[in-house]
Amino acid sequence: MTEYPSQSAGWQVEQRASEAYEQYLVPPILAPWADRLLETCEIHEGDRVLDVACGTGIVARHIAPRVGPGGSVTGLDINEGMLDVAAETAGDVSPPIEWRRGDATELPFSEAEFDVVSCQQALQFFEDPVAAIEEIHRVLAPNGRTALSVWRPLEYQPAYVALADALERYVGEDAGDMMRSPFPAWDGADLRTLLEDAGFDDVSVTIEIGSVRYPSVPEFVRREAASSPLAEPIAAIDRTVREELIHEVDDALDAYGDDDGIVSPMESYVVTAER
């Protein structure tokens, strides 16, 4: 069984990065994957749903119409900047979403408070993923359901292999490690064991394959930097060094270029289970 080290160091972003995250990463990556996640988890009218580590709220926004006026949706995140953007973006969503600040490893909710708990691409960032899964189990009602997604390891994400390697070369080892951290070295068996050890039943782990598209390699680098804590270290390097970084990524992704920019595969585990 793989150890579950914290992946969270350095990945808290400021308000400006939260806005860039919503603008640049949600439409091409997180919105399509939110739909894939929710397709795997039955959500009914009247359900009480919690989205853990909700970020700027894309999963919660997609859930709200499914639960209808008799249901409820709560989005929880530790980052106030993310929650501020989430609240602004979801102003017209019905039913209204409740936004709460809190730690996934100590959820501020009572036992059996929710029928469904979702978590998109965040488990790998929690300081203690074991505690987070135990907390999700605790707040679920009997027969409640959870749906989680976690990126597969880096070798299944060609664009991010190229970017992480270039960041390490031109910005520093910490920058490379930061870009690799969303893609933990976990496999499906690790995730299955993690949930079963927390008491979940009927655990299902599937591999989903999608893609990400950007209009150009420079835009890929710029948008990823703007949406993360990498904005400052990338901005701090000399312009010529930054151009060399982009050129290296461009060369590495040559096979993924077309008339509309670049497109690269992305792979994720999607996990569902019942309490």
Side-chain angles (χ1 to χ4, degrees):
M1 177 66 177
T2 296
E3 293 294 323
Y4 296 97
S6 169
Q7 302 279 333
S8 62
W11 262 101
Q12 292 303 313
V13 297
E14 301 300 328
Q15 178 73 24
R16 186 176 299 174
S18 299
E19 294 167 355
Y21 179 97
E22 173 65 27
Q23 181 179 355
Y24 295 139
L25 296 190
V26 168
I29 302 176
L30 297 172
W33 283 98
D35 288 332
R36 287 176 177 237
L37 180 66
L38 297 182
E39 285 171 3
T40 68
C41 183
E42 294 183 12
I43 295 177
H44 307 127
E45 286 193 25
D47 275 345
R48 304 162 297 167
V49 184
L50 170 65
D51 185 38
V52 175
C54 63
T56 57
I58 184 60
V59 173
R61 297 199 301 268
H62 284 209
I63 288 172
R66 302 181 183 217
V67 303
S72 65
V73 181
T74 302
L76 176 135
D77 203 280
I78 200 167
N79 189 300
E80 290 185 3
M82 289 287 196
L83 292 172
D84 288 344
V85 175
E88 293 170 6
T89 307
D92 296 330
V93 172
S94 180
I97 299 167
E98 179 185 5
W99 304 106
R100 294 279 299 272
R101 185 175 186 275
D103 188 336
T105 63
E106 296 182 29
L107 293 175
F109 305 107
S110 303
E111 293 184 8
E113 192 166 336
F114 298 97
D115 303 300
V116 179
V117 176
S118 60
C119 180
Q120 174 169 256
Q121 303 303 344
L123 184 64
Q124 59 268 47
F125 294 111
F126 297 156
E127 183 175 353
D128 185 348
V130 172
I133 294 297
E134 290 174 345
E135 280 290 275
I136 289 173
H137 186 271
R138 180 184 65 82
V139 302
L140 274 171
N143 301 314
R145 306 164 313 275
T146 189
L148 319 168
S149 59
V150 177
W151 296 124
R152 298 193 77 200
L154 186 65
E155 59 261 34
Y156 298 101
Q157 330 289 344
Y160 293 92
V161 171
L163 182 55
D165 288 348
L167 286 168
E168 181 170 339
R169 181 187 301 272
Y170 293 101
V171 182
E173 184 176 349
D174 288 347
D177 288 345
M178 189 177 296
M179 186 50 61
R180 295 183 182 101
S181 64
F183 310 104
W186 303 347
D187 61 22
D190 295 325
L191 292 167
R192 183 185 307 279
T193 301
L194 180 61
L195 271 77
E196 289 178 345
D197 285 352
F200 280 98
D201 297 320
D202 297 326
V203 179
S204 171
V205 181
T206 60
I207 295 171
E208 296 285 338
I209 301 175
S211 64
V212 59
R213 176 177 286 282
Y214 284 97
S216 67
V217 168
E219 275 299 291
F220 169 48
V221 175
R222 186 183 74 82
R223 294 180 188 187
E224 286 290 337
S227 308
S228 77
L230 289 166
E232 283 191 20
I234 291 179
I237 63 176
D238 185 80
R239 178 179 176 180
T240 58
V241 175
R242 190 160 53 249
E243 289 174 350
E244 289 174 6
L245 183 157
I246 292 170
H247 182 71
E248 180 170 308
V249 176
D250 200 5
D251 283 349
L253 297 181
D254 180 67
Y256 297 98
D258 62 18
D259 290 344
D260 290 329
I262 60 165
V263 60
S264 178
M266 293 194 77
E267 299 191 18
S268 179
Y269 293 110
V270 176
V271 186
T272 59
E274 294 184 2
R275 189 188 188 287

